[in-house]
Amino acid sequence: MSTIAEVIKSRISANSYDTARTLNDQEISDLIDLATHAPSAFNLQNWRFLAVRSPEAKARLLPLAYGQQKVIDAAVTFIVCGTLNPHQSLPSSLKPTLDAGIIDQAIYDMWVGAAQGMYQDNPQLQRDEAVRSGSLAAMTLMLAAKGQGLVSTPMIGFDAAAVAETFELDSTEIPVMLVTVGYPGAANWPQKPRKAVQDILTFI
């Protein structure tokens, strides 16, 4: 298998973390750098990450995650957010692509205009896009963690409104999921079996 296939097939959702091992600022930043290579519509990059890793911050997050101990035990829990109003930030997000010569001015103008038309008066599509982008970034983050010898867990069991209030998220930031990351403990399951491809794939 290729390296990426090995990463995908060996990634687990961890419940057990080595509480004695931490991640430093650079290691956390490197994970997020990799996560930002996830795709997003128009290259919107409409996401933000909060790295909850101090004992005080973990203690605040714990009850909001319904007491799940991995929030305390993991080296860091990322609050992965997708952002609304992506059409407003697209001009600046897309400009480096224009400056690098990957797209020309006509394509830049077309994408900016298309995003304006799609999202400006469509709050449901904005929310859908925030969840899509945040989810893609979260999955890329988990694969990045596995590639660094770490384990991770995606968590949807949390009070999103309380997380937004407690961690002072902007009104345009939607907490899509929590992702715990750290070194593995001793009590994790292996990856659970998947459905057979023939049961989920249809050729057209």
Side-chain angles (χ1 to χ4, degrees), residues 112-123:
V112 169
Q116 186 83 11
M118 286 174 61
Y119 301 116
Q120 183 173 15
D121 299 316
N122 195 333

Side-chain angles (χ1 to χ4, degrees), residues 99-182:
D99 293 342
I102 297 171
I103 61 173
D104 60 22
Q105 187 67 49
I107 292 175
Y108 174 89
D109 292 340
M110 179 179 67
W111 285 12
V112 169
Q116 186 83 11
M118 286 174 61
Y119 301 116
Q120 183 173 15
D121 299 316
N122 195 333
Q124 183 61 57
L125 183 57
Q126 288 187 35
R127 184 176 181 84
D128 291 347
E129 205 64 75
V131 172
R132 271 193 291 267
S133 295
S135 298
L136 287 165
M139 186 69 251
T140 305
L141 170 61
M142 288 184 280
L143 293 175
K146 178 60 183 175
Q148 300 291 341
L150 305 167
V151 291
S152 63
T153 313
M155 298 173 61
I156 60 169
F158 66 97
D159 185 331
V163 165
E165 179 180 2
T166 300
F167 292 93
E168 300 181 340
L169 299 183
D170 189 84
S171 61
T172 62
E173 294 171 339
I174 308 244
V176 173
M177 71 180 72
L178 307 180
V179 177
T180 52
V181 175

Side-chain angles (χ1 to χ4, degrees), residues 12 45 49 56 64 75 79 119-120 125 165 177 200 204:
I12 64 166
Q45 304 170 71
F49 307 85
E56 180 274 333
L64 311 183
I79 303 172
Y119 301 116
Q120 183 173 15
L125 183 57
E165 179 180 2
M177 71 180 72
I200 59 169
I204 306 297

Side-chain angles (χ1 to χ4, degrees), residues 19-201:
T19 59
R21 302 186 69 181
T22 61
L23 294 170
N24 63 37
D25 288 0
Q26 188 58 58
E27 289 168 327
I28 291 171
S29 297
D30 288 346
L31 286 172
I32 296 305
D33 177 63
L34 291 170
T36 62
H37 288 268
S40 57
F42 300 106
N43 200 28
L44 288 165
Q45 304 170 71
N46 53 321
W47 42 53
R48 194 164 82 89
F49 307 85
L50 283 73
V52 178
R53 53 85 176 274
S54 72
E56 180 274 333
K58 289 180 177 183
R60 283 193 289 149
L61 181 58
L62 181 63
L64 311 183
Y66 308 130
Q68 296 181 77
Q69 183 63 29
K70 53 196 163 194
V71 168
I72 299 294
D73 293 346
V76 58
T77 298
F78 294 100
I79 303 172
V80 181
C81 300
T83 60
L84 303 175
N85 300 322
H87 55 289
Q88 294 178 2
S89 60
L90 180 60
S92 60
S93 298
L94 196 56
K95 191 167 187 308
T97 304
L98 174 66
D99 293 342
I102 297 171
I103 61 173
D104 60 22
Q105 187 67 49
I107 292 175
Y108 174 89
D109 292 340
M110 179 179 67
W111 285 12
V112 169
Q116 186 83 11
M118 286 174 61
Y119 301 116
Q120 183 173 15
D121 299 316
N122 195 333
Q124 183 61 57
L125 183 57
Q126 288 187 35
R127 184 176 181 84
D128 291 347
E129 205 64 75
V131 172
R132 271 193 291 267
S133 295
S135 298
L136 287 165
M139 186 69 251
T140 305
L141 170 61
M142 288 184 280
L143 293 175
K146 178 60 183 175
Q148 300 291 341
L150 305 167
V151 291
S152 63
T153 313
M155 298 173 61
I156 60 169
F158 66 97
D159 185 331
V163 165
E165 179 180 2
T166 300
F167 292 93
E168 300 181 340
L169 299 183
D170 189 84
S171 61
T172 62
E173 294 171 339
I174 308 244
V176 173
M177 71 180 72
L178 307 180
V179 177
T180 52
V181 175
Y183 287 93
N188 286 310
W189 294 327
Q191 190 181 89
K192 295 177 281 296
R194 276 10 190 204
K195 293 180 180 179
V197 171
Q198 61 265 28
D199 293 338
I200 59 169
L201 173 64

